[in-house]
Amino acid sequence: MNNLKDNILSILKDSKVGTMATVHNNKPYSCYMTFFNDDLTLYTATSKETTKYDTLHENPFTHILLGYEGKGFGDTYVEYEGKVTQFDDESMKTKILSKLSGLIFDKPEEMVILKIDPERITLLNKKGEPSQELEM
């Protein structure tokens, strides 16, 4: 399991942009997001004025893809299944804003940090190996 966790953490270190899927009006809704991790917990930022923010109040579960490099079959990536909570820590907000260089948020006061606690992480396409799951 340690090797699996190390492989997942390596992908999280190198891949910050991925897709985040939620459910809106009983249909899938995906968007690109920038993620930061603390061990296996993911964090991302969004505005309180987005569809994503509203839908997560209705259904707090998400599916995230990180790691695909666009080289084709064989790119190793992870699938995250997790539960999202709002994370109002000002130090984390400041840390994420500094990493984003303020490019995304015109109104930083509308920004919220989303914390994604993984329930299952799957490592896929590891050069011909079968997928591997890390259950939480």
Side-chain angles (χ1 to χ4, degrees), residues 41-110:
T41 301
L42 295 178
Y43 296 89
T44 190
T46 192
S47 170
K48 293 177 184 176
E49 299 176 357
T50 61
T51 300
K52 178 179 15 9
Y53 181 77
D54 294 337
T55 61
L56 286 168
H57 283 90
E58 298 167 20
N59 181 340
F61 294 95
T62 187
H63 185 267
I64 296 168
L65 298 175
L66 281 164
Y68 185 75
E69 298 173 10
K71 295 177 184 170
F73 184 75
D75 279 2
T76 304
Y77 64 97
V78 293
E79 289 184 348
Y80 255 73
E81 294 176 38
K83 185 172 183 182
V84 180
T85 55
Q86 188 171 324
F87 191 69
D88 287 324
D89 182 273
E90 285 301 318
S91 65
M92 183 63 78
K93 190 182 272 191
T94 301
K95 182 177 179 179
I96 289 179
L97 264 178
S98 70
K99 289 182 180 195
L100 294 174
S101 302
L103 297 174
I104 295 177
F105 297 96
D106 294 331
K107 300 179 194 175
E109 67 276 5
E110 292 294 322

Side-chain angles (χ1 to χ4, degrees), residues 22-29 51 54-56 58-59:
T22 56
V23 177
H24 179 64
N25 293 331
N26 285 331
K27 295 184 180 176
Y29 176 79
T51 300
D54 294 337
T55 61
L56 286 168
E58 298 167 20
N59 181 340

